[in-house]
Amino acid sequence: MARERLPGRGCCALRRCLLAAALLLGLRLCAELQRAGSPPGQAPRPPGSHLQPAPGQLRGASRRQVTYVRSGRRAPARGGRSGTPEPGCCALRGRPRLKGPRWQIDLQPWAGPARSLDEEALRFLRYISTIQIACDHMSTDSLATDSSPTEKPWLVCLDDRFGLVHQIRNKQCRLYSLGLGSDDTHFEVGMASSGCEVHRFDPSVKSAHVLESEHLWYHRLSIDWRDPHPAVAAQKPYSNTRKLGTILNEFGHHKIDVLKADLESAEWKVLENLILEDVLEQIGQLIFEIHLHWPGFEVSGSDSSVVRFWYSLLKELELQDFRLFHSYKDLSKPQLFLKKDIFNASSCYTLGWVNTRWK
């Protein structure tokens, strides 16, 4: 008698065969698609590689780099133009910065074991009063050297070895002047008359960009130690506050032969920003007026720690091959050091440094 087959057994086997065939076909199709999407000569990407960040880039790092207020770069506005209309002198042709910013300077060791104001102040005052490099030819505004240069605060070094005199003669000199409403522009006018391209940044200027004379520009911009936060900048596209590095990129100026700054106690934070973002290597000479009657904007701590911070900033200049060639003590200003009448110190000094690596 023939064996009776169980009902439905053949149908189950056929179903399993069809499922297995469909699975194999799907796997082969996926492999073909993956192979077709890879560039010639490149191995297919491992499964899940599209979920991994690119090598050396953490997820979200790009966003932080663009929006963090201390970033060395600004994202240009739509259309490739900055928020401020630029004149013909300052076309937007900036190059990307290659170095990322540091986050803090290296503080120098304490001047003495007591960590006292006396120790720190004496070291600091001795430092700013000691010339580090001799400059035989100094001038306030032209190639003609002054008969009594030590009696004038704003001086540039015109020794042949530092290159500025050659830049002036070849009409290739560029000077940036940072100020806050000062009416004394004798230095800027003199440098412009000698052929130097002068840009004065002052938020009190009435128009955005004014060509005062053939070589003298006025810009309604304030140099700060930080750019506006992106959220604020989006609401105020014509904000007149910028970091110096941002201005250089927007104007397409890769070098400044002379940077003059009279920022009324903002100089410490601006100088710190120049150091942290490696802007100093783009500057030939620095002429800064420093104010000592109080710590300065956004500088806090005990008196001794404030002076240590000031000293550390100036030592950073020395580490980057800047040397002090001029020191002017302003006796017309109150004789105060952190609101104290001590050490026969003035509340205001003008210091000049030359970049010894400047070409």
Side-chain angles (χ1 to χ4, degrees):
M1 180 183 292
R3 181 179 299 176
E4 185 179 353
R5 295 192 308 177
L6 295 174
R9 184 174 181 181
C11 293
C12 291
L14 179 61
R15 230 182 268 120
R16 282 195 297 269
C17 290
L18 290 175
L19 288 173
L23 180 60
L24 290 173
L25 182 61
L27 291 174
R28 182 168 182 176
L29 181 60
C30 289
E32 291 294 336
L33 289 174
Q34 189 176 23
R35 194 176 300 114
S38 300
Q42 180 177 338
R45 293 181 300 173
S49 61
H50 62 288
L51 301 177
Q52 300 174 358
Q57 179 181 357
L58 296 177
R59 190 185 308 171
S62 176
R63 178 175 297 177
R64 285 194 297 271
Q65 191 175 25
V66 172
T67 61
Y68 199 80
V69 296
R70 295 185 68 176
S71 171
R73 293 181 286 273
R74 277 174 61 90
R78 290 184 181 180
R81 297 187 62 83
S82 66
T84 304
E86 305 299 350
C89 74
C90 319
L92 179 62
R93 57 186 190 277
R95 61 181 177 183
R97 301 188 60 78
L98 299 179
K99 297 182 181 179
R102 292 161 55 190
W103 302 117
Q104 61 183 9
I105 66 165
D106 298 324
L107 290 175
Q108 292 292 314
W110 291 94
R115 302 185 179 184
S116 65
L117 174 61
D118 285 7
E119 292 172 335
E120 296 298 325
L122 289 174
R123 177 177 68 172
F124 175 80
L125 292 171
R126 188 182 306 116
Y127 189 80
I128 65 173
S129 302
T130 304
I131 300 303
Q132 297 172 336
I133 192 168
C135 181
D136 297 327
H137 303 92
M138 291 189 288
S139 173
T140 56
D141 52 23
S142 69
L143 295 178
T145 56
D146 293 308
S147 58
S148 55
T150 56
E151 297 178 3
K152 299 182 180 181
W154 304 109
L155 293 175
V156 292
C157 182
L158 295 174
D159 284 4
D160 288 340
R161 52 183 169 154
F162 299 130
L164 177 60
V165 64
H166 304 293
Q167 295 293 93
I168 295 176
R169 287 171 179 162
N170 295 331
K171 308 300 181 183
Q172 297 178 345
C173 164
R174 179 177 293 123
L175 180 146
Y176 272 28
S177 173
L178 317 182
L180 295 172
S182 174
D183 294 328
D184 183 9
T185 58
H186 177 78
F187 177 78
E188 290 81 359
V189 171
M191 292 296 289
S193 299
S194 67
C196 208
E197 177 189 323
V198 177
H199 297 269
R200 178 167 175 80
F201 299 89
D202 189 334
S204 66
V205 176
K206 294 182 179 179
S207 301
H209 305 282
V210 179
L211 182 59
E212 183 72 15
S213 62
E214 182 180 1
H215 300 289
L216 178 58
W217 285 89
Y218 283 81
H219 306 282
R220 191 177 58 203
L221 289 169
S222 174
I223 304 301
D224 205 341
W225 55 93
R226 56 185 174 240
D227 282 331
H229 191 277
V232 176
Q235 298 176 2
K236 298 180 179 180
Y238 298 100
S239 173
N240 64 348
T241 300
R242 302 279 198 285
K243 293 185 297 185
L244 182 62
T246 302
I247 293 290
L248 288 171
N249 286 337
E250 290 182 354
F251 283 15
H253 294 163
H254 302 154
K255 288 187 175 182
I256 308 172
D257 294 285
V258 180
L259 175 64
K260 174 200 171 190
D262 182 5
L263 297 173
E264 304 299 338
S265 298
E267 65 273 1
W268 298 113
K269 294 300 291 185
V270 169
L271 182 58
E272 180 188 36
N273 172 257
L274 300 184
I275 294 168
L276 295 178
E277 296 193 354
D278 292 309
V279 180
L280 286 175
E281 62 187 18
Q282 299 174 256
I283 301 171
Q285 296 189 27
L286 286 171
I287 314 173
F288 266 60
E289 185 174 275
I290 62 172
H291 301 85
L292 309 180
H293 58 288
W294 72 296
F297 292 102
E298 294 195 13
V299 179
S300 60
S302 64
D303 286 349
S304 58
S305 63
V306 166
V307 181
R308 182 192 181 199
F309 172 71
W310 291 347
Y311 177 74
S312 299
L313 284 175
L314 302 189
K315 287 295 286 185
E316 287 273 358
L317 293 179
E318 185 179 346
L319 291 174
Q320 299 196 38
D321 296 311
F322 279 80
R323 297 294 182 266
L324 188 70
F325 71 88
H326 176 61
S327 176
Y328 173 81
K329 179 180 179 180
D330 193 343
L331 298 177
S332 66
K333 299 293 177 66
Q335 306 299 293
L336 293 176
F337 189 92
L338 292 177
K339 302 180 180 179
K340 300 177 179 64
D341 183 9
I342 53 176
F343 311 119
N344 194 31
S346 173
S347 60
C348 180
Y349 290 77
T350 302
L351 306 177
W353 293 269
V354 61
N355 185 348
T356 56
R357 292 187 289 112
W358 189 252
K359 301 296 182 182

